[in-house]
Amino acid sequence: MTEGARQPPEAVPENAAKPAGEIRARWAWVEAGVWTERMLTALEQGVIGGKWHSLIDKVYALPNLRQAFARVKANHGAAGVDHVTVEEFERDLEANLEKLSQALADGSYRPQAVRRRWINKMGSKEQRPLGIPTVRDRVVQAALRAVREPIFERDFAAQSYGFRPKRGCKDALRRVDHLLKQDYRWVVDADLKSYFDTIPRQQLLERVKAKVSDGRILKLLETFLRQGVLEEMNLWTPEAGTPQGAVMTA
């Protein structure tokens, strides 16, 4: 195949107005209890001023918190610094979720420190840090993610596959196969060392502020970014980066 015959990678498609049923089908993975038909239409067509307002009530809504707990439970994660397991949290689930909802609503919610463990890197002798938030905090993070994720997912590149809903390694391999059949041969392999530990927080928050104007959402995100870390008996607060292993950074 000649150079001129190659097809360039597909561009991100433009979002045109579509019937409500078609929009819901496209966003079938979002939390239906959070994202109403009206919100999905706004997501497709764009909101006035390009920023979303008044989202915190979607985070602390009990149906969203229940679904968030279901996702946390499905991951079979370990207990955090408070030693409360998923099973223990579930024993008094409704009361626990109601307390969380109230704390988020009145602004009194504060996350606890993240328990740090070191795990082996696949194919390497090195280790990487893994942060384990409490079950309570993981539920809040999952609820926050259900509200936040579609807003940013809308604008991601079509050929980005990592850490995105309904996408994975097999999708990336199918794309590679497609490009190989078009006679592409070059591969660029790049890795950012200690990426999550060095993400500049202020720039990250500025990116979020470009799309979200709800101050309580922004404060909640910043609070999670500044969580303390408990490693063995030492408690400290990282000055940069995001906690690896947290729901909101997965």
Side-chain angles (χ1 to χ4, degrees):
M1 181 179 293
T2 63
E3 184 70 26
R6 290 181 179 176
Q7 298 296 318
E10 300 170 7
V12 179
E14 293 290 336
N15 292 315
K18 298 176 182 178
E22 186 177 344
I23 293 175
R24 174 61 70 182
R26 171 172 172 164
W27 295 93
W29 58 270
V30 304
E31 182 54 56
V34 173
W35 287 90
T36 63
E37 302 292 346
R38 181 179 178 182
M39 289 178 67
L40 287 176
T41 300
L43 185 64
E44 287 274 327
Q45 298 177 2
V47 291
I48 297 175
K51 291 187 177 184
W52 288 81
H53 307 266
S54 303
L55 294 173
I56 189 65
D57 61 309
K58 311 297 189 300
V59 175
Y60 64 68
L62 281 171
N64 187 26
L65 291 174
R66 290 190 190 101
Q67 288 300 315
F69 173 77
R71 290 190 290 273
V72 170
K73 180 180 178 180
N75 288 331
H76 306 289
V81 295
D82 61 358
H83 306 292
V84 175
T85 65
V86 172
E87 293 75 19
E88 289 170 335
F89 190 90
E90 189 176 23
R91 287 174 194 161
D92 202 6
L93 181 60
E94 284 305 307
N96 286 330
L97 294 183
E98 287 174 6
K99 288 178 184 177
L100 267 183
S101 178
Q102 183 60 43
L104 287 164
D106 64 26
S108 63
Y109 169 80
R110 296 291 184 276
Q112 294 178 270
V114 173
R115 182 166 67 90
R116 171 166 284 190
R117 286 180 51 200
W118 289 86
I119 61 174
N120 294 326
K121 278 188 176 182
M122 187 177 295
S124 171
K125 294 182 179 180
E126 296 183 6
Q127 291 187 316
R128 68 180 181 89
L130 179 67
I132 305 175
T134 64
V135 174
R136 170 179 176 270
D137 292 339
R138 297 205 297 272
V139 170
V140 175
Q141 289 184 11
L144 176 60
R145 179 176 176 176
V147 174
R148 171 186 58 88
E149 189 168 41
I151 296 172
F152 295 89
E153 175 66 25
R154 176 183 181 273
D155 297 327
F156 284 161
Q159 283 78 50
S160 173
Y161 300 100
F163 303 99
R164 294 179 63 188
K166 302 300 180 182
R167 289 170 177 252
C169 294
K170 291 183 179 179
D171 300 297
L173 288 172
R174 279 190 284 269
R175 178 63 182 168
V176 170
D177 180 65
H178 174 73
L179 292 174
L180 287 173
K181 289 175 180 176
Q182 292 190 42
D183 204 31
Y184 284 90
R185 292 291 181 268
W186 289 96
V187 175
V188 177
D189 183 11
D191 184 23
L192 300 178
K193 185 175 178 60
S194 301
Y195 173 68
F196 284 100
D197 290 335
T198 57
I199 291 176
R201 293 174 180 169
Q202 193 55 45
Q203 288 90 324
L204 176 61
L205 288 170
E206 289 300 324
R207 291 295 184 93
V208 177
K209 288 179 183 178
K211 292 183 179 293
V212 175
S213 64
D214 189 326
R216 295 176 67 182
I217 291 286
L218 298 171
K219 182 179 178 180
L220 188 57
L221 279 170
E222 187 170 6
T223 300
F224 279 125
L225 289 174
R226 299 186 184 281
Q227 273 181 282
V229 174
L230 182 65
E231 186 173 358
E232 295 181 350
M233 298 302 293
N234 297 318
L235 179 63
W236 55 286
T237 303
E239 297 183 356
T242 65
Q244 293 189 54
V247 176
M248 69 171 187
T249 59

